[in-house]
Amino acid sequence: MSTATAPPPRVGPRRPGHRAGAHRLPSGLLGIAVLVLLWEAAPRIGVVPERYFPPVSEVLTTLAERATTAPFWEALGHTLYGWALGLSLAFVAAVVLGFVLGSTPRLRAFTTSTVDFLRPIPSVALIPLAVLLYGTDIRSTLLLVTYACFWLIYIQVLYGVADVDPVAEQTARSYGLGRLARVRHVVWPTTLPYLMTGLRLAASVGLILSITAQLIIGSPGIGQQITTAQQGGAIALVYAWIVATGILGVVINLGVRALERRVLRWHTSVRGEADA
Amino acid sequence: MSRPTAHEPALEPSTPAAPTEQEAPVARPSRRRGRADRTAGPALRVAHVLLLPTLLIGVYWAFTAQPGAGFYTPTPAAIATAFVDLWFSERFFVDVLPSLGRLLTGFALAALLGVGLGVLLGSNARVRATCEPVLEFLRAIPPPVLVPLMIMLAGIDDTMKIAVIVFGCLWPVLLNTVEGVRAVDPVLADTARCYGITGTTRLRVLVLRSASPQIMAGLRLALALAIILMVISEMFASSSGLGFAIVQFQRTFAIPEMWAGMVLLGVIGFALSSLFELVEGRVLGWYRGLRAAHRGE
Amino acid sequence: MLEVTGLQKIYNGGATAVEAVRDLTFSLAEGELVCLVGPSGCGKTTLLKCIAGLMAPTDGTVELAGRPVLSPPPGMAVVFQEYGRSLFAWMSVRDNVELPLKEKKLPKERRTALVSESLEAVGLTDFADAYPWQLSGGMQQRVAIARAIAYEPQVLLMDEPFAAVDAQTRADLEDLVRQIWQRLGVTVLFVTHDIDEAVYLGERVLVLSNSPTVVQDDITVDLPAERDQLTTRQDERFTHLRARVYAQIQQAKRGSAPPAA
Amino acid sequence: MLEVTGLQKIYNGGATAVEAVRDLTFSLAEGELVCLVGPSGCGKTTLLKCIAGLMAPTDGTVELAGRPVLSPPPGMAVVFQEYGRSLFAWMSVRDNVELPLKEKKLPKERRTALVSESLEAVGLTDFADAYPWQLSGGMQQRVAIARAIAYEPQVLLMDEPFAAVDAQTRADLEDLVRQIWQRLGVTVLFVTHDIDEAVYLGERVLVLSNSPTVVQDDITVDLPAERDQLTTRQDERFTHLRARVYAQIQQAKRGSAPPAA
Amino acid sequence: SSSDDALDGDELVTITAGVIPIVDVAPVYLGVDQGFFSSRGIDLQLESGSGGAAIVPGVISGEFDFAFSNVVSLIIAREQGLPLVTLTNGVTSAGEQGADFGGVFVLDDSDVTGAADLEGLTVAANNLNNIGDTTVRQSVRAAGGDPAEVDFVELPFPDMPAALETGQIDAVWAVEPFASTIREAGHREIASNFVDTHPDLSVAAYFTAENRLAEDPELFDDITAALEESLAYAEDHPDEVRRVLGDYTEIDEEVIERMVLPRFPARIDEESVRTLADLMVTDGLLDTEPDLDTLIR
Ligand SMILES: Nc1ncnc2c1ncn2[C@@H]1O[C@H](COP(=O)(O)OP(=O)(O)OP(=O)(O)O)[C@@H](O)[C@H]1O
Ligand SMILES: Nc1ncnc2c1ncn2[C@@H]1O[C@H](COP(=O)(O)OP(=O)(O)OP(=O)(O)O)[C@@H](O)[C@H]1O
Ligand SMILES: [Mg+2]
Ligand SMILES: [Mg+2]
């Protein structure tokens, strides 16, 4: 059989500078620069009182000072530890349950009311219970982080699972792909974009809760540092911690985006920006 | 088009079954793979809603009935009593209704802002690259620590509380819209371009519609988040409201009342979700139909 | 081998119920190659999906090797009309073809051999590492075909599988299908709109009527087993059969069943 | 009217760059109906997208009525090869056809008339209220066609628009295209894999080579303007042209440019 | 001194206390510094939380062996059935009008001259239905105003200066170090609400759970003794207090130098607590006269 189409010539390696990604860093910095400018200007021209909202230069100086001390990095470490562990737990639980319930309409029908009931319960309100159960150790923080992150990922997975292209699904079924194989090869890739969004949402919500838990429970970490700074009226320091948190958020997002570009390079949202 | 036409008898021997004269193309119920919610009768639907909660309450009850069950875990009966006493009184109008008002306003604003900004960022890689770090920066900041700033800018009344809600539940809508818009089918986008469908029409008939499954996912998340943020916003500069009441109960160790408040949050969540389900059913009717169509329903 | 009895399918999804297929009864012997033609929208795809066990018929039964088909039977391959959507966008062409083989638990070497053989057969050897969306429409369709033949099925259902390829490639693929059919003894049901193709390929041609859909004609193609693009198509019998199928389709479109020729 | 000069297109998306089109130069006079044939994957769709202004060529230019095409020019309609994906799943068939007319700011009555006319022309009057996904593949393709003709474009680009419809419908649609072309004086570029169709429809047939893609042959179809499915196809000149195109395509597939006949 | 009680070779008992990183708990930090705990065989770990929501459950669950809280919260908890008992006093009002460690502040250019003028205005307190608003109401009452006419809203202390200065709030009840911040910004103090309630008002106390106390009375005797020693030391060495504040808080050094310190008597002034309890009944925080004898040891 020779129906061979001669391959179109490959014109060497891909030409660089053609991807949106190439611009990402510089223009991202531009956005940050605008934010910094606004922040510097607002207190200086008196939109908000300078004493209670210090200009960014002062905040950054404070941050720079703190960043040279060990307690700073310890607090950061504590927060990240609770965050990473809680997020991972939530991720695994939500993905497993999301796939099982999402692809079993009957189960899903029976659980929807409970899920909808539980989702709006604020993690913060669970703090007394968490402390009662686990005291002030890491498990309390984990409980809160996991509880909040779980729903975000879970709902995203449910919508993702529902997004499977029926033709792809039928193709898989007709070729005798079993349930598990279909989940792995069809449902999972379809869900990935939703899951990535869920992960990005949960990553920052997890960070927020990791901090809030420390803020209220008082286990060591950024939250505790913020409480101490607030109680001492050290406003520049409070904002320094906020900036540190924000930077964490940006870094985490960079990570997730990089991951996304790898695992979703086939997806319209990523490939559309890559090709001509 | 499915009406029978006049048939001559088929002469070909290998077509043995002549068309039956059965009229009325009414479907008989599918004999296999009945799908759970589509074929559900009212009784079954009630079972769907109530079965698991009933079970869970039962388990919880058994747990609290043990001797020595804690102060912080009152029996369902105690919670139910507190629930009735609290919310079937004028407190409902003083605390709950205004909170609900802020909740819905905040949610609506977040939805508008999230979708609007999301479309902007989603359709332009350049703008997105510029704004993303800033947004990610803001997104990582816990809303409670921003309250002082918000108080300075927006005061202590409803504006500030709504701002907190918006700031918190904007993100799921925004992120999902961005991703939904990025994933618009290129063939469809090309079609629209060719036929000169641009501007708001393009937005309305192409971008928003094709991103709608993902936008809906974001809105659904935002709805629950809005309730949570309503509580958080009332932890500051408040003197009434459902969130305030819950925090107050917690601080004054009125634990059954606190749980009654949480139950009310859950009930509100469930009610809003059910409403949302209805809206979603309309908005995503085509989408569900499309998926069902291929399964042959 | 394959028995379709009194098959009816009504779609209930929309505002009104649509009866896509009224009452279809026919059978395929084991190892038969049958072509299915019929007007656009008459229910060919619907029928195929019912046979594949992907869709429950409203009434009637499908039996494969004596057993009722309730879910996709093993050893069956399908080439979907929506070839583009039936390819997994997240997998390279090679992985798309190889996936079903993995599920079949074939050893690695066998899989590699089958994949490269089938990609070679459809002329896509050089594109094994590309993603489906980097291919042209016709190339995508050929990937779907490669996947089906690499699977070495006992039953092969193909829904307008050559609609997007050029004339020359089409001829080659036709020969490929016949060759595989002869080599593996696979039972093939082949939907096409090209009448020449139906006659050239099939041992029998089933003509479906316009809706309400019934089997309008069942034509045995009494051409020699060894067929050849040039000589067979010039055969007088071929022309005759071709004309008969054409007449039937025209009748079908007009909606009334004509007397069989 | 339409001038394509030195067009080159390289896809940079994947791991390696792919040169889909090497160097294409040709032109269409105003009101000409030209068919484009070529092996699968040779770059027809790519070319069409460049002409439509949907894709920037890597090199070379496209000019329409003297102006360079940088974005989709007004008054142009396209029927995409991926017809299924080019329909708005959330709109009824009627709305799909009507939408571009609304953008053209036609008055309500005119729109209604155009929509029902064009749906009638493709035989889908009864399905105006259905959603695209409630239709069969061939019906979806006809919706895309109806949308294009209802638009009354000055330039009509069609990418294998009849690939999914049955023989009879195809013949009807061919006549429809010629009729519209004659009535409206529209410039048509028509991609097809069916050689008979190319010769029957076109005033000229452009044959593209295998990649690296260039124009392999440009054949003027000197058949009478009034064509008829039966008589034209039996015309000796038709058979001759058909044979010539076929030979060119076979050459194209083999990859070497033959001397033009 | 009981410093010899620690038996040679014995391991120190690790004890965990829940505190808030504020001025009030300086004595405990000093006590640790000075070895008042270790000399009794106690290794005291201090964990700082932001308030009662986490601290009281921590004590109930045994996570904290003892903790610090204001008296009103303790009374309410006890009334709700939480078995808490006090160990020692925590802080006591400085007792001097206009120079207490907390007070009610208004903007300098405000029309308010005394507590009675707060009628119809909005006053911020860190917690509602707690010690702040109860004592401020007493100030209003004492000045001849109607406390029912005052609107209270909740606002954390750290957010008060900004809210006051930007005019979002008419008056705030603030404690050190925020009281100093506000004073230094040039705002006016119109009432010393603790003093108005009782010149020797016991504002906060160290407490534990009844069952913990019953389990190990000797240990708690040691703890109590250490606490008493710490409090006495703090009372006698205000400079030391100011010094230790620099260690565990982030208060600005200049503020530390100038701010008003509370008094740290070791014993709870029961009369002042009773006055407070009466006010709580008057204001409706409690329905009935609380049983203070079970609470105060
Ligand atoms: N999901 C659906 N809901 C309602 N009607 C449907 C649905 N799918 C198909 N139909 C209808 O069923 C009929 C048969 O469709 P089918 O796809 O089987 O046709 P087909 O013979 O494959 O046509 P084609 O040759 O154009 O692919 C059509 O009239 C179509 O409108
Ligand atoms: N997005 C893409 N990325 C990389 N290569 C592409 C892309 N799209 C098309 N190609 C390549 O460009 C070449 C031409 O594709 P095109 O779709 O234009 O072919 P075609 O002539 O329309 O073929 P067909 O008749 O099969 O539709 C093919 O070799 C294909 O692999
Ligand atoms: Mg079909
Ligand atoms: Mg193409």
Side-chain angles (χ1 to χ4, degrees):
Chain A
M1 283 320 305
S2 70
T3 58
T5 313
R10 315 260 157 137
V11 195
R14 207 184 50 232
R15 294 188 297 178
H18 222 89
R19 314 191 56 167
H23 305 294
R24 188 151 286 141
L25 202 65
S27 39
L29 286 181
L30 178 75
I32 291 281
V34 170
L35 179 74
V36 165
L37 269 180
L38 276 179
W39 188 345
E40 187 67 23
R44 295 225 184 268
I45 61 174
V47 179
V48 282
E50 189 169 336
R51 186 166 4 164
Y52 304 117
F53 186 67
V56 72
S57 50
E58 190 184 332
V59 172
L60 289 181
T61 318
T62 314
L63 181 62
E65 278 166 19
R66 290 284 162 155
T68 57
T69 63
F72 177 90
W73 296 103
E74 274 165 28
L76 216 64
H78 280 298
T79 299
L80 280 181
Y81 180 62
W83 168 79
L85 216 57
L87 185 63
S88 317
L89 280 176
F91 184 84
V92 171
V95 168
V96 170
L97 280 176
F99 274 95
V100 170
L101 295 182
S103 46
T104 326
R106 199 172 300 270
L107 269 182
R108 191 179 164 187
F110 275 111
T111 48
T112 303
S113 61
T114 312
V115 169
D116 285 341
F117 183 89
L118 290 177
R119 280 198 304 135
I121 292 179
S123 252
V124 220
L126 295 179
I127 284 178
L129 209 63
V131 172
L132 208 65
L133 285 174
Y134 301 124
T136 57
D137 70 20
I138 182 91
R139 282 174 300 170
S140 285
T141 310
L142 282 186
L143 178 76
L144 303 181
V145 174
T146 309
Y147 186 85
C149 294
F150 174 81
W151 301 118
L152 292 173
I153 305 178
Y154 176 73
I155 295 291
Q156 290 283 135
V157 171
L158 283 191
Y159 274 82
V161 169
D163 198 36
V164 169
D165 187 320
V167 178
E169 159 85 13
Q170 287 181 337
T171 306
R173 288 212 298 140
S174 62
Y175 281 103
L177 265 68
R179 227 184 136 89
L180 263 180
R182 288 207 302 276
V183 165
R184 176 151 137 49
H185 297 297
V186 183
V187 186
W188 170 258
T190 311
T191 312
L192 258 183
Y194 286 83
L195 189 59
M196 288 317 259
T197 307
L199 186 62
R200 288 177 61 211
L201 284 170
S204 60
V205 166
L207 189 61
I208 288 174
L209 272 159
S210 172
I211 290 172
T212 311
Q214 293 156 356
L215 207 95
I216 298 179
I217 300 174
S219 28
I222 295 181
Q224 193 196 40
Q225 298 287 328
I226 291 182
T227 315
T228 310
Q230 278 177 334
Q231 297 294 352
I235 292 175
L237 185 57
V238 173
Y239 281 103
W241 279 112
I242 292 179
V243 169
T245 311
I247 292 176
L248 266 187
V250 174
V251 170
I252 289 169
N253 185 60
L254 279 181
V256 182
R257 278 289 194 208
L259 183 70
E260 183 184 274
R261 271 196 303 282
R262 296 193 113 231
V263 301
L264 288 184
R265 64 185 177 283
W266 53 270
H267 192 253
T268 325
S269 61
V270 175
R271 77 186 197 224
E273 282 151 19
D275 70 26
Chain B
M1 60 264 150
S2 55
R3 297 195 61 81
T5 42
H7 299 285
E8 278 103 32
L11 297 185
E12 191 68 24
S14 59
T15 49
T20 57
E21 278 310 307
Q22 199 214 341
E23 279 273 12
V26 184
R28 276 158 256 172
S30 151
R31 290 173 306 155
R32 329 167 202 143
R33 289 205 298 265
R35 306 232 324 134
D37 21 2
R38 283 180 66 91
T39 47
L44 188 54
R45 223 165 291 158
V46 169
H48 284 160
V49 172
L50 291 183
L51 187 69
L52 186 60
T54 315
L55 269 172
L56 291 178
I57 292 173
V59 170
Y60 176 72
W61 204 318
F63 165 75
T64 56
Q66 289 171 356
F71 177 81
Y72 280 92
T73 48
T75 63
I79 297 175
T81 316
F83 188 90
V84 172
D85 288 350
L86 277 175
W87 309 126
F88 292 96
S89 70
E90 88 277 14
R91 272 200 98 123
F92 183 79
F93 301 99
V94 179
D95 280 332
V96 181
L97 280 189
S99 291
L100 276 180
R102 288 192 291 267
L103 161 74
L104 293 177
T105 316
F107 174 71
L109 285 176
L112 276 178
L113 204 65
V115 172
L117 217 58
V119 168
L120 189 73
L121 297 187
S123 35
N124 189 326
R126 250 304 181 23
V127 177
R128 184 168 62 252
T130 309
C131 297
E132 199 167 274
V134 175
L135 292 173
E136 293 306 319
F137 180 87
L138 295 177
R139 206 155 67 79
I141 297 174
V145 302
L146 274 190
V147 168
L149 185 60
M150 291 211 183
I151 290 179
M152 281 190 277
L153 294 173
I156 58 162
D157 48 12
D158 289 356
T159 322
M160 182 275 283
K161 288 174 192 127
I162 291 170
V164 171
I165 296 177
V166 173
F167 182 81
C169 65
L170 167 71
W171 309 114
V173 189
L174 180 71
L175 261 59
N176 273 295
T177 309
V178 168
E179 299 310 316
V181 170
R182 282 174 77 193
V184 168
D185 190 317
V187 178
L188 211 50
D190 281 352
T191 307
R193 276 184 75 195
C194 281
Y195 286 111
I197 297 164
T198 49
T200 49
T201 318
R202 179 185 141 87
L203 203 65
R204 198 163 43 81
V205 304
L206 172 67
V207 177
L208 289 181
R209 292 311 291 272
S210 84
S212 55
Q214 226 153 333
I215 296 180
M216 284 323 239
L219 287 176
R220 181 170 285 249
L221 284 176
L223 196 59
L225 272 186
I227 301 178
I228 293 175
L229 283 152
M230 172 195 83
V231 175
I232 289 182
S233 71
E234 290 173 5
M235 287 159 86
F236 302 91
S238 280
S239 53
S240 72
L242 178 53
F244 174 81
I246 289 176
V247 174
Q248 201 64 34
F249 293 140
Q250 198 178 77
R251 279 214 208 99
T252 56
F253 311 102
I255 301 305
E257 283 80 2
M258 181 194 90
W259 283 114
M262 307 254 264
V263 170
L264 183 61
L265 287 182
V267 170
I268 292 174
F270 172 70
L272 289 181
S273 272
S274 307
L275 252 164
F276 185 84
E277 188 77 36
L278 286 181
V279 176
E280 189 183 88
R282 308 215 77 192
V283 175
L284 295 188
W286 62 273
Y287 178 76
R288 294 182 178 177
L290 189 158
R291 261 129 243 275
H294 284 271
R295 280 181 243 113
E297 284 158 18
Chain C
M1 174 77 179
L2 178 72
E3 301 269 350
V4 176
T5 322
L7 191 90
Q8 185 199 30
K9 176 70 198 179
I10 297 174
Y11 285 102
N12 276 312
T16 50
V18 177
E19 186 181 31
V21 172
R22 161 70 53 99
D23 180 8
L24 288 181
T25 304
F26 63 88
S27 64
L28 265 66
E30 174 143 13
E32 213 175 0
L33 198 174
V34 174
C35 290
L36 192 67
V37 297
S40 170
C42 75
K44 301 178 295 298
T45 301
T46 307
L47 170 63
L48 237 63
K49 286 195 176 168
C50 288
I51 293 177
L54 293 168
M55 207 183 242
T58 311
D59 200 5
T61 55
V62 176
E63 281 185 18
L64 189 71
R67 263 188 262 121
V69 173
L70 302 172
S71 65
M76 185 192 68
V78 184
V79 177
F80 287 86
Q81 186 174 14
E82 291 147 306
Y83 52 91
R85 285 171 62 192
S86 88
L87 297 179
F88 302 124
W90 43 88
M91 289 181 186
S92 68
V93 165
R94 183 199 316 282
D95 292 344
N96 262 290
V97 178
E98 196 178 358
L99 179 64
L101 308 183
K102 278 194 187 149
E103 280 304 304
K104 245 183 151 182
K105 308 247 183 309
L106 294 187
K108 178 78 193 143
E109 310 84 65
R110 180 90 186 106
R111 291 204 309 257
T112 320
L114 279 171
V115 170
S116 51
E117 239 170 60
S118 62
L119 283 182
E120 157 117 54
V122 299
L124 288 177
T125 310
D126 290 318
F127 291 88
D129 292 314
Y131 283 103
W133 38 270
Q134 291 174 325
L135 305 182
S136 77
M139 290 155 88
Q140 289 175 18
Q141 196 164 34
R142 284 183 276 153
V143 176
I145 296 168
R147 179 167 62 185
I149 59 178
Y151 192 61
E152 302 196 314
Q154 276 116 52
V155 182
L156 179 56
L157 307 177
M158 301 177 104
D159 200 351
E160 306 183 24
F162 308 150
V165 297
D166 59 282
Q168 178 60 46
T169 310
R170 188 170 194 138
D172 294 345
L173 290 173
E174 282 165 9
D175 290 337
L176 177 69
V177 165
R178 274 199 67 89
Q179 179 201 329
I180 285 171
W181 167 71
Q182 279 169 333
R183 206 182 63 206
L184 303 178
V186 37
T187 313
V188 183
L189 187 57
F190 188 103
V191 175
T192 179
H193 281 315
D194 187 326
I195 296 164
D196 290 49
E197 182 168 273
V199 175
Y200 178 75
L201 268 187
E203 303 290 290
R204 250 165 77 204
V205 176
L206 280 173
V207 183
L208 296 191
S209 76
N210 215 336
S211 54
T213 309
V214 295
V215 177
Q216 159 135 353
D217 202 357
D218 184 344
I219 301 159
T220 308
V221 178
D222 43 6
L223 291 171
E226 285 308 318
R227 300 185 189 173
D228 173 274
Q229 291 288 352
L230 279 180
T231 53
T232 306
R233 283 180 197 261
Q234 276 158 10
D235 193 318
E236 202 176 318
R237 185 75 198 134
F238 182 89
T239 324
H240 174 82
L241 287 164
R242 193 189 171 290
R244 177 163 159 199
V245 174
Y246 192 69
Q248 288 294 337
I249 289 189
Q250 275 186 305
Q251 291 279 14
K253 268 223 64 163
R254 255 175 269 122
S256 62
Chain D
M1 173 76 179
L2 179 72
E3 300 269 352
V4 176
T5 322
L7 191 89
Q8 185 200 29
K9 175 69 198 179
I10 298 175
Y11 285 101
N12 274 311
T16 50
V18 177
E19 185 181 31
V21 172
R22 162 73 51 101
D23 178 8
L24 288 182
T25 305
F26 64 88
S27 63
L28 265 65
E30 174 143 16
E32 213 177 357
L33 198 174
V34 174
C35 289
L36 192 66
V37 297
S40 170
C42 74
K44 302 178 292 299
T45 301
T46 307
L47 169 64
L48 236 63
K49 285 193 178 165
C50 289
I51 292 178
L54 294 168
M55 206 183 240
T58 311
D59 200 5
T61 55
V62 177
E63 280 185 20
L64 189 71
R67 261 187 265 123
V69 173
L70 302 173
S71 65
M76 185 193 68
V78 182
V79 177
F80 288 89
Q81 187 175 14
E82 292 146 306
Y83 53 92
R85 285 167 61 193
S86 85
L87 298 177
F88 296 91
W90 42 88
M91 288 183 185
S92 67
V93 165
R94 183 199 316 282
D95 292 344
N96 262 288
V97 178
E98 197 179 356
L99 180 67
L101 308 183
K102 279 192 186 152
E103 279 310 286
K104 246 182 149 183
K105 308 253 183 306
L106 294 187
K108 178 80 194 139
E109 311 84 64
R110 180 88 187 108
R111 290 203 311 256
T112 320
L114 279 170
V115 170
S116 51
E117 241 170 60
S118 62
L119 284 182
E120 159 115 52
V122 300
L124 288 176
T125 309
D126 291 327
F127 291 89
D129 292 315
Y131 284 103
W133 36 269
Q134 291 175 322
L135 305 182
S136 76
M139 290 155 90
Q140 288 175 17
Q141 196 164 36
R142 283 182 277 154
V143 176
I145 297 168
R147 180 168 62 187
I149 60 177
Y151 194 60
E152 302 195 312
Q154 276 116 51
V155 182
L156 179 57
L157 308 177
M158 301 176 103
D159 199 350
E160 306 183 24
F162 306 150
V165 298
D166 60 281
Q168 178 60 46
T169 311
R170 187 168 194 139
D172 295 346
L173 290 173
E174 281 163 11
D175 290 337
L176 177 69
V177 166
R178 274 198 68 87
Q179 178 199 329
I180 285 171
W181 167 70
Q182 279 168 333
R183 207 182 64 207
L184 302 177
V186 37
T187 312
V188 183
L189 187 57
F190 189 102
V191 175
T192 180
H193 281 314
D194 188 327
I195 296 164
D196 290 49
E197 183 168 274
V199 176
Y200 178 75
L201 269 186
E203 303 291 291
R204 250 167 76 205
V205 177
L206 279 173
V207 183
L208 295 191
S209 76
N210 214 336
S211 49
T213 309
V214 294
V215 177
Q216 159 133 356
D217 200 359
D218 184 343
I219 301 160
T220 308
V221 178
D222 44 4
L223 291 171
E226 285 307 318
R227 300 184 189 173
D228 174 90
Q229 291 288 352
L230 280 180
T231 53
T232 305
R233 284 180 197 261
Q234 276 157 12
D235 194 317
E236 202 175 316
R237 186 75 198 133
F238 182 90
T239 323
H240 174 80
L241 286 165
R242 191 188 172 290
R244 174 159 163 204
V245 175
Y246 191 70
Q248 288 295 333
I249 288 191
Q250 275 185 305
Q251 289 279 12
K253 271 222 58 164
R254 255 174 269 124
S256 63
Chain E
S1 157
S2 50
S3 60
D4 297 337
D5 287 2
L7 299 172
D8 287 347
D10 250 15
E11 295 273 303
L12 293 184
V13 192
T14 302
I15 288 292
T16 311
V19 295
I20 313 171
I22 54 175
V23 178
D24 308 29
V25 294
V28 193
Y29 281 92
L30 274 181
V32 174
D33 263 13
Q34 298 294 323
F36 300 147
F37 289 94
S38 52
S39 65
R40 289 176 174 82
I42 297 166
D43 170 23
L44 183 63
Q45 297 292 318
L46 294 170
E47 296 218 2
S48 57
S50 76
I55 286 184
V56 171
V59 170
I60 297 292
S61 70
E63 176 75 14
F64 298 139
D65 297 289
F66 72 94
F68 176 90
S69 173
N70 84 59
V71 173
V72 170
S73 291
L74 291 177
I75 295 175
I76 293 174
R78 186 79 218 191
E79 282 308 289
Q80 291 286 359
L82 280 171
L84 305 179
V85 284
T86 61
L87 296 172
T88 66
N89 186 35
V91 286
T92 291
S93 162
E96 196 177 325
Q97 273 292 346
D100 201 357
F101 74 97
V104 182
F105 298 87
V106 295
L107 283 179
D108 195 36
D109 53 7
S110 159
D111 297 335
V112 179
T113 54
D117 296 338
L118 292 176
E119 274 182 29
L121 298 184
T122 310
V123 182
N126 71 329
N127 284 177
L128 292 199
N129 297 322
N130 212 299
I131 193 158
D133 54 338
T134 303
T135 52
V136 172
R137 268 193 283 266
Q138 174 58 16
S139 290
V140 175
R141 209 176 275 122
D146 179 4
E149 294 292 306
V150 183
D151 280 333
F152 286 95
V153 296
E154 260 193 32
L155 203 61
F157 288 128
D159 303 343
M160 285 178 180
L164 182 67
E165 183 147 326
T166 50
Q168 310 289 2
I169 293 273
D170 300 313
V172 300
W173 165 67
V175 297
E176 294 291 9
F178 305 102
S180 287
T181 314
I182 296 172
R183 277 193 201 103
E184 268 152 41
H187 304 312
R188 226 161 5 97
E189 182 166 5
I190 53 158
S192 295
N193 46 325
F194 289 156
V195 186
D196 287 340
T197 305
H198 193 285
D200 296 315
L201 183 68
S202 281
V203 175
Y206 294 96
F207 68 98
T208 186
E210 253 174 16
N211 55 341
R212 278 296 282 140
L213 188 62
E215 271 167 28
D216 203 347
E218 288 88 25
L219 173 66
F220 278 92
D221 285 343
D222 283 346
I223 293 175
T224 308
L227 278 173
E228 282 170 350
E229 194 176 356
S230 308
L231 287 162
Y233 182 80
E235 181 85 340
D236 295 341
H237 300 85
D239 290 346
E240 279 289 274
V241 172
R242 291 188 204 272
R243 180 189 63 73
V244 82
L245 283 179
D247 292 350
Y248 74 91
T249 71
E250 295 286 353
I251 308 175
D252 192 70
E253 273 174 39
E254 288 174 30
V255 177
I256 291 181
E257 285 314 308
R258 256 170 298 163
M259 68 189 201
V260 179
L261 292 183
R263 285 184 291 150
F264 302 108
R267 290 213 60 78
I268 293 176
D269 184 315
E270 293 201 26
E271 186 198 291
S272 74
V273 175
R274 210 161 292 285
T275 313
L276 203 53
D278 290 341
L279 289 177
M280 290 168 73
V281 177
T282 314
D283 289 343
L285 271 67
L286 297 174
D287 297 331
T288 55
E289 192 74 14
D291 174 16
L292 294 181
D293 299 334
T294 51
L295 175 66
I296 300 173
R297 193 163 75 117

